[in-house]
Amino acid sequence: TALAREQRKMDYAAKKELEKPPTSAQSAAASYGTRMQNADKTINDLMDSGFDPTSVVTGIRSVLPAYFQRPEQQQMEQAQRDFINAQLRRESGAAISSSEFENAAKQYFPQPGEDKSVTEQKRRNREIAIKGIQAAGYPGGNVPQNKEIKVNF
C-alpha cells in the first residue's frame, strides 16, 4: 500500500541519517555528555560507598584546604567541577562565572544539611541533564537504545 511504501521511505531516510558521520556540534555534545556521565558515576559510586556530602562535617571540610579533606571529598568536588564545566560550557561556550558555577552546584549536587529526598531529586536532575546533552550528539536527538558510550583514556 501507499502507506507502507511511505513508511519504508521514512525508515530508509532515518537509517541513512544515522549512518552519516557526526557533525562537530554532535561530536562536542557527545564528549560533554560522556564527561557528565563519568562524573555522575563517580559521584554515585562515592555516595554508594558511604560518603555523605550532606553531612555537616563534609560541609565544614569543604572550605578547608585539600590537605584537611578526605580523598572521597576531593574526588566528589572534582567530579562536580567536571560535570558543571561540561554542562555550562556546552550551554554557553564561554567562561563560567562564579555565580553560575555556584548555582549549578546547588542545582545538581547534594549540599550539607539537605534531606535524602532532595539528594534523590538532584540525582534525577543530573540524569536528565546528561540525557539532554547526549541526545544532542545524535541526528534528530535519537539516542540508539542501549547505546553505551565508551571513552578511551
Side-chain angles (χ1 to χ4, degrees), residues 28-143:
S31 175
Y32 288 129
T34 298
R35 283 177 53 194
M36 291 169 69
Q37 188 174 42
N38 287 336
D40 187 55
K41 180 180 182 331
T42 298
I43 291 163
N44 291 332
D45 288 351
L46 287 166
M47 291 174 64
D48 289 346
S49 73
F51 179 74
D52 183 5
T54 66
S55 79
V56 174
V57 173
T58 300
I60 292 169
R61 284 186 178 155
S62 70
V63 298
L64 298 174
Y67 179 80
F68 297 104
Q69 296 177 355
R70 292 174 47 198
E72 295 88 353
Q73 184 164 5
Q74 293 175 23
Q75 292 169 349
M76 174 70 79
E77 290 177 6
Q78 175 56 36
Q80 289 177 358
R81 281 190 295 273
D82 199 26
F83 186 98
I84 292 170
N85 281 324
Q87 169 78 10
L88 295 180
R89 188 82 61 213
R90 165 73 171 85
E91 288 178 357
S92 72
I96 301 165
S97 72
S98 298
S99 63
E100 285 177 300
F101 201 91
E102 220 173 277
N103 186 50
K106 289 177 183 174
Q107 178 180 356
Y108 291 112
F109 307 112
Q111 303 296 308
E114 286 183 340
D115 186 76
K116 297 292 181 197
S117 63
V118 177
T119 298
E120 176 59 23
Q121 180 181 9
K122 290 180 177 188
R123 184 193 62 75
R124 288 192 309 270
N125 287 348
R126 290 192 307 271
E127 284 182 5
I128 291 166
I130 291 166
K131 288 178 182 177
I133 297 236
Q134 287 178 329
Y138 292 93
N142 298 315
V143 179

